[in-house]
Amino acid sequence: MITSEQVRAARGLLRWDQSDLSDASGLSLPTVKRLEQLPGPLAAQARTVDAIVAAFSSAGVIFVEENGEGAGVRLKKKPPAIGEINEKIQALDEKIATIKVDGDPSPEIGMNRLKKALVQNERTKLKNRRAKIKKGEPK
């Protein structure tokens, strides 16, 4: 579980403002502001926390769990290379292919459609990041 303090620290390392995190995670700006406002563990659903962690992870942030010295964040030694992003995109393509969304309407099919949409969204973000890296843009 990550904390609001870790989120603010991660943004600081990347020199992101709250709107940058909102854009990178696909969350609304009011959601980001609300989550950062409350001290301690993020008071959010798992998919919201996952979106934040994924956004920071793709930007090179590592969350350090409580280890007796306190939780924290740090940057990877180098940002992900295009090859690494391509591998992640390929893994997401494979995951998309395994999600069953056809059949009679049911709660399972509905959840699978949602899962597939979330994975496709993450894939699109990675493709956009790859395009920015190729152009030489930051983030």
Side-chain angles (χ1 to χ4, degrees):
M1 178 57 71
I2 63 171
T3 66
S4 61
E5 292 81 6
Q6 286 176 293
V7 171
R8 289 191 304 276
R11 280 195 310 99
L13 285 173
L14 296 172
R15 295 189 173 138
W16 280 6
D17 60 26
Q18 289 177 325
S19 65
D20 292 323
L21 176 56
S22 172
D23 293 342
S25 65
L27 300 172
S28 70
L29 182 57
T31 296
V32 171
K33 288 181 178 189
R34 178 184 56 80
L35 293 174
E36 285 191 10
Q37 190 175 23
L38 301 171
L42 292 182
Q45 294 183 3
R47 67 178 178 249
T48 301
V49 174
D50 290 346
I52 291 171
V53 171
F56 282 132
S57 179
S58 68
V61 172
I62 299 169
F63 287 93
V64 180
E65 294 185 27
E66 171 64 48
N67 60 5
E69 294 293 324
V73 294
R74 67 173 185 240
L75 291 175
K76 292 180 184 177
K77 288 185 179 180
K78 59 181 179 174
I82 291 198
E84 183 181 342
I85 292 173
N86 288 338
E87 289 174 12
K88 289 180 181 179
I89 290 170
Q90 183 177 353
L92 291 173
D93 285 340
E94 292 170 7
K95 185 173 183 177
I96 289 168
T98 66
I99 300 173
K100 180 184 174 195
V101 295
D102 296 328
D104 293 331
S106 69
E108 180 182 2
I109 295 295
M111 287 303 295
N112 284 349
R113 287 182 179 155
L114 177 61
K115 287 177 191 176
K116 186 173 184 175
L118 291 171
V119 173
Q120 288 171 326
N121 185 44
E122 183 61 28
R123 180 177 172 267
T124 300
K125 288 179 191 176
L126 286 171
K127 284 185 160 190
N128 291 340
R129 179 171 166 75
R130 180 179 63 192
K132 284 184 177 183
I133 290 171
K134 285 181 178 180
K135 289 180 181 178
E137 296 177 16
K139 288 196 238 171

